[in-house]
Amino acid sequence: MSALHGRVAIVTGGARGIGAAIVRVLVAEGARVVAVDNGASIDGRSSEPNVFAPLVAELGDALATLVRGVADPGVADEAVALAQSRFGGLDAIVNNAAILRDAFVFKGNRADYEAVLETNLVGAFELIRAASPVLRENAKTNRGGTPYRWGRIVDVVSSAAIWGNYGQAAYASAKGGLIALTRVAALDLARSGVTANAVAPFGATRVTESIVPANDAQAAYKEQALTGQLFGVRGREVFLFSQPRPIARFTTDSAASLNALAADVARSFTHHLTGLETDLEAFSTPPVV
């Protein structure tokens, strides 16, 4: 039996693309899902009220929908309440909702920047805020078994936040912030047995289709040797930080079960995992002054 059987999840941006694929997999594995999506266009300026019609017809009673914007006031709490009232609880959340308003930094405007952060980052924080008390309470009532080791937070991020991408100041900022939020959520919820992880998927979606390929002139920008780096200063110490790059990989069978995938992850990644260490712990030695 799948580890997801009988679980309840909330998926934002769940009506199309990657979000809909996540919803389908969850339901196929025996979970019930509350999907939140207002049918927004890729830039968030318009919406499609009937966006869930195909998915509802396909998945039936295993799916409950909330046609609202994830960052709208009260929506996160409403989604959590819907999961509890319709399906009897909540075990996992997936923050997937995102919009794009791309522009070079010298052409961007604050309203577009804030709109992207509101949906892609603030909306994710709101759902984590609303769901985490329920996930913590699950630990006290042993909803996930004894000892409780089941609550899940999954944040969908982007390689644009790690590598950067031309014209994606708002999107990369939001997804970079979501990576940091995921790390803090993991620290805050560790004692409750709730895990928080970020996933950067690669796929052809409305988002990737909207990105204009780099032109030849842009290649010249990268000839500068000292740019795009991350430095740290502590007293007289100067650090150059590494930046996230893949350090391990495996190839899975397209028909692999969830349990087989979990075994592959454990076998291939366990020795490469980053510990839950705060910055104060990492730099606990006296600085050079």
Side-chain angles (χ1 to χ4, degrees):
M1 181 182 296
S2 169
L4 289 169
H5 185 81
R7 304 296 180 185
V8 180
I10 297 173
V11 180
T12 68
R16 293 175 291 202
I18 290 173
I22 292 169
V23 170
R24 288 188 177 99
V25 169
L26 287 168
V27 171
E29 294 288 336
R32 290 161 294 174
V33 180
V34 172
V36 184
D37 199 318
N38 65 349
S41 58
I42 193 61
D43 61 8
R45 299 184 193 276
S46 61
S47 61
E48 184 182 336
N50 297 319
V51 67
F52 276 117
L55 211 55
V56 169
E58 176 185 343
L59 302 179
D61 293 341
L63 176 66
T65 63
L66 191 56
V67 187
R68 300 279 301 282
V70 66
D72 291 347
V75 169
D77 296 285
E78 189 176 344
V80 171
L82 180 58
Q84 293 176 303
S85 63
R86 181 73 64 87
F87 299 129
L90 178 63
D91 300 288
I93 62 171
V94 181
N95 282 306
N96 171 72
I99 63 170
L100 277 179
R101 294 189 187 180
D102 289 353
F104 288 117
V105 292
F106 46 84
K107 292 184 177 180
N109 67 76
R110 179 168 178 161
D112 285 343
Y113 188 86
E114 290 181 344
V116 173
L117 263 65
E118 187 75 8
T119 294
N120 301 13
L121 180 57
V122 177
F125 167 78
E126 275 291 279
L127 186 55
I128 292 173
R129 175 201 58 75
S132 54
V134 177
L135 300 181
R136 292 181 74 240
E137 185 63 26
N138 288 346
K140 298 176 184 177
T141 60
N142 295 319
R143 173 177 167 84
T146 305
Y148 178 71
R149 290 290 183 271
W150 214 93
R152 300 289 184 266
I153 295 171
V154 179
D155 294 325
V156 178
V157 297
S158 171
S159 54
I162 301 171
W163 269 266
N165 207 345
Y166 294 107
Q168 292 202 309
Y171 185 75
S173 295
K175 291 300 186 178
L178 188 52
I179 292 172
L181 175 60
T182 305
R183 179 78 178 182
V184 174
L187 288 164
D188 288 352
L189 296 167
R191 290 183 63 185
S192 298
V194 177
T195 65
N197 292 287
V199 177
F202 291 76
T205 67
R206 293 185 304 157
V207 172
T208 57
E209 289 171 359
S210 71
I211 299 173
V212 179
N215 56 49
D216 292 340
Q218 290 173 348
Y221 297 166
K222 296 186 287 187
E223 295 301 320
Q224 304 174 62
L226 196 60
T227 185
Q229 305 307 304
L230 178 58
F231 299 97
V233 178
R234 189 180 71 148
R236 291 191 293 111
E237 298 170 285
V238 179
F239 304 97
L240 174 64
F241 286 102
S242 63
Q243 298 188 43
R245 296 293 184 267
I247 58 171
R249 69 182 289 270
F250 67 85
T251 303
T252 185
D253 190 297
S254 60
S257 68
L258 185 66
N259 291 337
L261 180 60
D264 284 339
V265 169
R267 182 179 64 253
S268 301
F269 293 164
T270 295
H271 298 299
H272 301 283
L273 298 178
T274 301
L276 275 183
E277 181 183 41
T278 69
D279 57 343
L280 296 179
E281 292 168 333
F283 294 97
S284 59
T285 58
V288 178
V289 295

